[in-house]
Amino acid sequence: MAFDARSLTDLNHRDAFIGRHIGPDTRAIATMLDTLGESSIASLIDRTIPSDIRLKGELPLAGPRSEQETLEQLRAMMSQNRVARSHIGAGYYDTIMPAVIARNVLENPGWYTAYTPYQPEIAQGRLEGLLNFQQMVMDLTGMSVANASLLDEATAAAEAMTLCRRANRKAKSRRFFVARDVFPQTLDVLRTRAGWQDIELIVDDAERVGDYQVFGALLQYPGDDGRIIDLHPLIDSARHNGAMVAVAADLLGLTLLTPPGEMGADIVLGSAQRFGIPMGFGGPHAAYLAVSNNLKRSIPGRVIGVSRDRHGEVALRMAMQTREQHIRREKATSNICTAQALLANLAGFYAVYHGAEGLFTIASRIHRLTTLLTEGLAPLGVRPDNEWFFDTLTFSGLDHNTIESRAVADNRNLRYHDDGRIGISLDETTTAEDVAALIRILSGHDSEIDIAALDRRVIETGEAHIPLPCQRQSNYLTHPVFQRYRSETEMLRYLKRLENRDLSLTHAMIPLGSCTMKLNATTEMAPLSWPECARIHPFAPRDQVEGYHRLIEDLIAQLASITGYDTVSMQPNSGAQGEYAGLVAIRRYQQSQGEGHRDICLIPGSAHGTNPASAAMAQMKVVVVECDIRGNIDMDDLRRKAAEYSDRISAIMLTYPSTHGVFEADIQEACRIVHEQGGQVYIDGANMNAQTGLCRPGDYGGDVSHLNLHKTFCIPHGGGGPGMGPIGVKAHLAPYLPGHVYGGQKQFTPGTAVSAAAYGSALILPISWAYITMMGARGLREASEVAILGANYIAERLQDYYPVLYRGDKGTVAHECIIDIRPIKNACSIDEEDIAKRLMDYGFHAPTMSFPVAGTMMVEPTESESLLELDRFCDAMIAIREEIRRIENEEWPRDNNPLVNAPHTQRDLYSEEWPHTYSRELAAFPSNAVKQAKFWPSVNRVDNVHGDRNLICSCPSIDEYRD
Ligand SMILES: *Cc1c(COP(=O)(O)O)cnc(C)c1O
């Protein structure tokens, strides 16, 4: 058999990745089809997707390409980016991610493939990381409570504005003050949000904040031009007038500056980017938001809190989930769902590794270099406008063209303001040589500059460039976690210890319905670490970012073809942001048609909570459309409501296949009914994993959809973010896509941006591009087919044990299925939570719980799970059902059995007492699979209620961890 008769083309094996991405091989697929009594995948798909919406033929995509070819192509493309020394600032700074963090967290699937910590017993590692992040933010800002990240600084500012609006009930004004020196991109996102919340923005000098009657105000600290002013009197005067005050602050600067919390601020927000996170042409980065104690119950985003487990031990979990869109829908505090968990963890670890002394040294060095820059320039007659500064100087009266050509010749980017001023920001990577070069560029002086001599002079005079009231006196990062892990050995072990507490895709399938936890291939992740992708400022000149533009144009074309839309906006950096951007596009389009009065959004009761939350943010009234007993949209109710609200209907938001896991046959009809009334159709594209290559929202009636690239297109979930939520639109909506003050895809229209950066979180776009390229049209279609096959296989295997709640007309489910736990609960009071916790003993993460139907579980296997893994999961579910039977038969008491006591920890097993009628072996080693490889939950079942009643969102004192 030494001779292989295949041709050279076939031997190239260019489509090998398809078989690596898709779990089941041909034989496994045959077995699965057999189980279903189905003759072929084609016939299964024919039964599942209505024939009138099926795509004819294959998508016109290039590929498939091998992993090697794809990386080479990406390298060639991204090498057209040019890494210049960045002094642009404006919220983005070059920084150094410590290598131990890069290798063990950023480049480690144990961290990046985890999901949002909904199951805290198997997520204590990242919960601790996020708690560190919150503690760091609280310490640096001087505030009482911080959340565990928002999407970017600009949207955090917008959240602060709406938080002021909600919380400041006394204020009658609908005006919000914005200091003139907030970052331009922040102001623009505020304009967008304010426009749809009936808020009027007042933009004026920070010093005049007390002159206006407003419900809230935003100040920037230091200002956009680098200036530092004492905020205390300004905050006092604003508060005296009944306004709440938010401050956007530079987190690294706060190591030297009096924190806004000590100056009376109600809210402090900003970006944690310069804590080791690459600029990445705009993101992803974690934004932070911290509030005073009285606002803690209305803070937007996720907050990690300290609670206790069943045995009274300290245990962490997400607190106050009841504020969130999942539960409160259009009344939620915000629409945020996916945030920036991985980036928050990375930034928190940066602080853990450096500690207070390290951060102080980094900030002091930046400040010293900035001081040396001014000292070196002064004798040459060049002086900045700002007397006080941390790291940024702004110069007036210099000749822009001369300076720019000198800077370009030295491969440096400076900030060129529209009004001719020139800005320079220094950062962690800046050296003395950089400062000497900058002195030469700004002054035209070209002899040697003796930085060491300058430094000695500065030390002798001991003059500070921070105003006295703004010089920080208080301590920060005093908690032991910020002191213990300064050696690389200790840090490595700390990161590993935390990682080991978390269940991720490196252990088992994570069958979370609606979340699409599929393979995040190593090849797809590789470009994130390339400097030509990572070290690019989002506002770098166009000729330095050719690679990114090529990539983005290509990805837009791929996604447009996959969805059937005319164009795609890459700006939204989460699905929920995409919803908001899409609804705003609809409203702006309707305004342009003289239909601006249309303000009703029809949303089925089964919709994801972000849908109504986003509609509320776009100033729409939500009218719920009922579902029938089969889980489908009640078409009669839709017709009734469409007729009733007729010319008030702005849009309908539909998810397809529905959140009930079914391809509804009437989808085209539903779209038609709304179009007939002059409304637009928003198709929530979170379920694209069932459709790619098979049908397209643009074909069956959608006007706009968001895609969750972090679901269908392989960006890892990172334990709750990052994400990307680009939106595809039909041509008539294209003029109303978001613009950006610094370029972007289209002409700038103020007040349309939804993100701080023009292309959202551009650094992670190569992941989706690589996936689509390696799969090609055939691979993408097969992925959808196998995802549907897997869900049907699970439904088939489980249905005799757990009823499958909804199926389509012809008896199949889409790419996920809902199993009903309510009959079990009625029979013996075991509920879906008990099953979820018991699954941990079997080494699994639970499916999605109680969404979209309370008392159920939604299972989504994805195409990436092998038949072996699907069977292992089904076997565990079936074994648990048999355990439940023993409770039903009263063999085990209802209050003492392996389910209600789950999960079982090592502590349970080694304790002297074992007050149970089942064995230790059954408790922790209930299957052969776990006997071979056991994943231990690190705490027992967590008490959510206790944690919410006694809200603690800071690192517990170390004593609490002791006996
Ligand atoms: C995940 C999801 C969303 C929200 O997306 P995020 O990226 O988390 O903001 C919206 N709709 C559905 C159906 C989803 O599954």
Side-chain angles (χ1 to χ4, degrees):
M1 278 286 282
F3 187 75
D4 189 328
R6 285 177 294 174
S7 76
L8 190 57
T9 318
D10 289 340
L11 286 170
N12 261 346
H13 213 30
R14 301 181 97 174
D15 56 0
F17 180 76
I18 298 174
R20 293 176 184 146
H21 175 85
I22 297 179
D25 59 13
T26 320
R27 270 182 55 192
I29 288 172
T31 309
M32 292 159 78
L33 286 169
D34 227 37
T35 308
L36 292 172
E38 198 72 63
S39 56
S40 65
I41 289 208
S43 70
L44 172 71
I45 301 303
D46 286 345
R47 277 216 293 149
T48 304
I49 305 182
S51 58
D52 57 342
I53 63 165
R54 280 291 294 280
L55 186 67
K56 310 271 179 299
E58 212 85 280
L59 291 168
L61 296 172
R65 294 219 176 81
S66 75
E67 294 174 61
Q68 198 54 34
E69 280 176 310
T70 301
L71 280 180
E72 275 163 22
Q73 202 185 338
L74 260 175
R75 269 277 190 214
M77 190 153 59
M78 299 315 274
S79 69
Q80 295 175 52
N81 292 335
R82 212 173 73 236
V83 179
R85 260 251 165 275
S86 177
H87 304 292
I88 299 174
Y92 303 91
Y93 310 86
D94 208 354
T95 174
I96 300 165
M97 182 182 288
V100 64
I101 298 175
R103 176 151 295 184
N104 292 287
V105 185
L106 177 66
E107 296 169 356
N108 179 352
W111 281 96
Y112 64 69
T113 68
Y115 196 71
T116 306
Y118 284 126
Q119 299 293 338
E121 297 83 0
I122 49 175
Q124 290 292 302
R126 58 191 187 278
L127 284 164
E128 180 167 327
L130 293 172
L131 197 71
N132 294 343
F133 174 82
Q134 290 177 183
Q135 182 71 59
M136 161 189 104
V137 170
M138 286 157 53
D139 281 6
L140 290 171
T141 59
M143 303 301 282
S144 307
V145 181
N147 71 13
S149 84
L150 291 174
L151 294 167
D152 57 35
E153 176 161 338
T155 53
E159 295 290 348
M161 174 174 73
T162 47
L163 173 54
C164 290
R165 185 81 185 268
R166 276 196 312 279
N168 196 351
R169 292 198 196 86
K170 284 178 300 199
K172 302 220 165 41
S173 166
R174 46 172 210 86
R175 302 199 297 178
F176 185 75
F177 179 93
V178 186
R180 204 188 296 286
D181 62 349
V182 308
F183 295 138
Q185 69 274 17
T186 301
L187 176 60
D188 204 43
V189 170
L190 287 172
R191 283 197 206 284
T192 309
R193 290 282 196 94
W196 299 103
Q197 292 288 316
D198 196 27
I199 293 170
E200 184 194 336
L201 294 188
I202 307 279
V203 182
D204 202 341
D205 294 337
E207 284 84 347
R208 299 200 51 196
V209 64
D211 297 357
Y212 297 94
Q213 283 297 324
V214 292
F215 68 82
L218 176 68
L219 307 174
Q220 184 106 36
Y221 182 64
D224 181 40
D225 54 4
R227 183 179 70 134
I228 298 172
I229 52 173
D230 181 7
L231 299 183
H232 215 149
L234 306 187
I235 294 175
D236 279 352
S237 67
R239 291 183 52 122
H240 184 77
N241 271 351
M244 287 174 54
V245 180
V247 177
D250 182 317
L251 210 50
L252 189 58
L254 293 182
T255 59
L256 308 182
L257 300 173
T258 305
E262 293 172 16
M263 296 170 150
D266 299 283
I267 304 168
V268 187
L269 62 100
S271 168
Q273 181 264 317
R274 56 194 318 186
F275 280 46
I277 317 298
M279 294 182 285
F281 197 39
H285 315 129
Y288 71 86
L289 189 136
V291 298
S292 54
N293 198 48
N294 58 322
L295 294 176
K296 68 184 175 199
R297 292 195 186 263
S298 35
I299 188 172
R302 291 174 177 140
V303 176
I304 308 307
V306 183
S307 187
R308 58 184 189 198
D309 73 4
R310 217 159 77 76
H311 297 320
E313 295 291 309
V314 172
L316 312 177
R317 91 281 175 250
M318 294 195 290
M320 304 184 294
Q321 290 288 294
T322 46
R323 309 158 302 139
E324 289 203 18
Q325 19 72 28
H326 299 291
I327 295 176
R328 300 203 60 209
R329 305 178 78 84
E330 66 268 27
K331 297 191 186 67
T333 49
S334 88
N335 70 340
I336 190 144
C337 180
T338 289
Q340 301 280 17
L342 184 68
L343 294 308
N345 268 315
L346 289 165
F349 291 139
Y350 179 92
V352 165
Y353 196 40
H354 288 298
E357 295 81 0
L359 294 183
F360 180 76
T361 303
I362 292 168
S364 297
R365 184 168 170 281
I366 294 172
H367 185 58
R368 173 65 56 80
L369 288 167
T370 317
T371 305
L372 296 177
L373 182 54
T374 63
E375 293 293 320
L377 285 169
L380 303 170
V382 182
R383 278 171 220 285
D385 301 347
N386 48 323
E387 178 187 0
W388 309 111
F389 55 82
F390 162 53
D391 67 346
T392 298
L393 303 171
T394 300
F395 301 87
S396 299
L398 296 177
D399 183 53
H400 175 143
N401 290 336
T402 318
I403 305 272
E404 185 170 4
S405 58
R406 286 190 207 128
V408 167
D410 202 34
N411 197 30
R412 286 173 196 281
N413 292 334
L414 312 186
R415 173 110 180 258
Y416 306 104
H417 293 267
D418 288 342
D419 58 9
R421 291 175 304 151
I422 293 175
I424 292 192
S425 294
L426 304 190
D427 59 50
E428 189 186 359
T429 67
T430 310
T431 62
E433 292 71 44
D434 289 323
V435 169
L438 287 168
I439 293 172
R440 284 194 291 269
I441 288 169
L442 288 170
S443 67
H445 182 82
D446 63 358
S447 58
E448 276 306 302
I449 290 161
D450 187 350
I451 296 288
L454 280 177
D455 194 34
R456 281 192 297 277
R457 261 217 320 277
V458 167
I459 293 170
E460 270 162 33
T461 55
E463 219 174 276
H465 292 271
I466 296 171
L468 194 60
C470 298
Q471 294 178 16
R472 182 165 190 146
Q473 307 298 329
S474 53
N475 290 336
Y476 48 85
L477 306 187
T478 54
H479 192 275
V481 76
F482 299 107
Q483 296 170 16
R484 292 195 166 175
Y485 309 112
R486 305 289 177 77
S487 78
E488 182 167 331
T489 304
E490 285 294 341
M491 187 67 187
L492 172 68
R493 290 178 191 154
Y494 179 56
L495 295 174
K496 185 55 76 179
R497 202 154 66 234
L498 295 189
E499 179 195 341
N500 286 347
R501 291 180 194 156
D502 289 11
L503 189 133
S504 69
L505 284 177
T506 64
H507 298 100
M509 69 188 284
I510 300 183
L512 284 165
S514 212
C515 303
T516 313
M517 296 295 288
K518 55 162 70 173
L519 171 74
N520 314 117
T522 314
T523 298
E524 291 154 8
M525 294 297 291
L528 269 75
S529 304
W530 298 348
E532 63 268 36
C533 297
R535 296 187 70 185
I536 305 283
H537 193 286
F539 312 150
R542 181 65 170 77
D543 64 351
Q544 291 174 15
V545 290
E546 198 51 47
Y548 262 120
H549 280 275
R550 289 249 184 133
L551 176 96
I552 289 167
E553 276 158 30
D554 215 34
L555 186 57
I556 287 172
Q558 290 170 334
L559 295 177
S561 147
I562 286 168
T563 53
Y565 286 114
D566 295 308
T567 190
V568 175
S569 165
M570 285 292 168
Q571 197 173 110
N573 43 18
S574 77
Q577 289 296 97
E579 291 170 18
Y580 177 69
L583 294 176
V584 165
I586 288 174
R587 298 217 70 180
R588 291 182 60 216
Y589 164 74
Q590 286 171 339
Q591 277 180 342
S592 77
Q593 304 290 304
E595 301 266 284
H597 60 277
R598 291 181 175 270
D599 65 347
I600 282 182
C601 192
L602 301 172
I603 303 182
S606 59
H608 195 266
T610 52
N611 289 190
S614 300
M617 284 167 59
Q619 217 165 26
M620 291 168 146
K621 286 186 191 57
V622 174
V623 171
V624 175
V625 181
E626 303 301 331
C627 291
D628 63 21
I629 44 161
R630 300 192 50 216
N632 296 333
I633 297 167
D634 181 336
M635 295 298 284
D636 291 333
D637 192 51
L638 175 58
R639 282 192 196 93
R640 224 171 9 249
K641 283 175 176 149
E644 181 181 343
Y645 296 105
S646 183
D647 76 338
R648 280 191 63 194
I649 294 176
S650 174
I652 188 166
M653 292 184 93
L654 296 169
T655 305
Y656 201 70
S658 76
T659 54
H660 289 156
V662 171
F663 281 96
E664 287 162 280
D666 288 334
I667 183 70
Q668 294 205 90
E669 174 68 3
C671 296
R672 207 179 48 75
I673 290 170
V674 174
H675 279 147
E676 263 173 13
Q677 300 295 345
Q680 295 279 296
V681 175
Y682 187 106
I683 304 277
D684 181 324
N687 289 345
M688 256 334 265
N689 211 45
Q691 301 183 73
T692 307
L694 298 172
C695 60
R696 312 192 300 176
D699 292 345
Y700 54 72
D703 296 293
V704 45
S705 296
H706 74 261
L707 299 173
N708 301 67
L709 298 190
H710 48 298
K711 294 177 180 172
T712 315
F713 296 96
C714 296
I715 292 174
H717 282 258
M724 268 298 281
I727 52 174
V729 294
K730 287 286 177 63
H732 65 281
L733 293 178
Y736 307 101
L737 288 173
H740 194 276
V741 53
Y742 293 115
Q745 281 168 257
K746 44 194 285 294
Q747 220 46 40
F748 175 53
T749 311
T752 61
V754 298
S755 300
Y759 305 100
S761 298
L763 179 63
I764 52 181
L765 292 178
I767 300 171
S768 299
W769 184 90
Y771 172 62
I772 295 168
T773 303
M774 293 189 294
M775 295 294 274
R778 175 170 71 83
L780 291 174
R781 172 180 51 76
E782 287 178 4
S784 305
E785 291 170 346
V786 176
I788 291 171
L789 174 65
N792 279 284
Y793 178 77
I794 286 184
E796 177 68 24
R797 279 211 60 197
L798 293 186
Q799 66 176 358
D800 291 342
Y801 306 89
Y802 304 92
V804 172
L805 193 55
Y806 299 120
R807 287 176 184 273
D809 286 352
K810 302 194 176 108
T812 58
V813 298
H815 65 312
E816 55 195 7
C817 67
I818 299 177
I819 56 174
D820 199 350
I821 311 300
R822 291 168 298 187
I824 293 176
K825 187 171 183 187
N826 290 338
C828 67
S829 74
I830 291 295
D831 64 14
E832 67 280 7
E833 178 155 341
D834 297 319
I835 296 173
K837 303 306 176 192
R838 184 59 177 155
L839 272 169
M840 294 174 189
D841 290 333
Y842 283 83
F844 283 103
H845 192 289
T848 296
M849 278 168 34
S850 291
F851 169 77
V853 183
T856 66
M857 291 181 140
M858 180 157 59
V859 188
E860 179 182 1
T862 83
E863 70 279 9
S864 296
E865 297 302 339
S866 68
L867 178 56
L868 217 66
E869 185 69 357
L870 298 180
D871 277 335
R872 207 169 68 86
F873 173 74
C874 292
D875 292 343
M877 288 296 290
I878 292 166
I880 291 173
R881 185 65 188 91
E882 297 307 333
E883 292 174 359
I884 294 169
R885 238 177 277 289
R886 294 168 74 172
I887 304 166
E888 288 169 342
N889 297 339
E890 294 176 17
E891 197 178 319
W892 287 327
R894 285 186 179 199
D895 61 354
N896 186 358
N897 58 62
L899 277 103
V900 296
N901 295 335
H904 296 84
T905 59
Q906 288 186 332
R907 179 198 156 105
D908 289 326
L909 251 68
Y910 63 60
S911 87
E912 292 287 325
E913 285 145 52
W914 185 256
H916 313 299
T917 53
Y918 56 93
S919 70
R920 285 179 161 91
E921 184 179 18
L922 183 74
F925 297 96
S927 69
N928 277 330
V930 289
K931 281 174 189 150
Q932 282 157 36
K934 173 70 183 172
F935 180 88
W936 287 101
S938 56
V939 296
N940 284 93
R941 196 179 299 194
V942 177
D943 185 340
N944 282 316
V945 179
H946 173 85
D948 278 355
R949 283 218 189 100
N950 311 279
L951 191 62
I952 301 171
C953 309
S954 50
C955 291
S957 83
I958 227 64
D959 298 337
E960 305 227 14
Y961 290 109
R962 296 211 183 95
D963 276 335

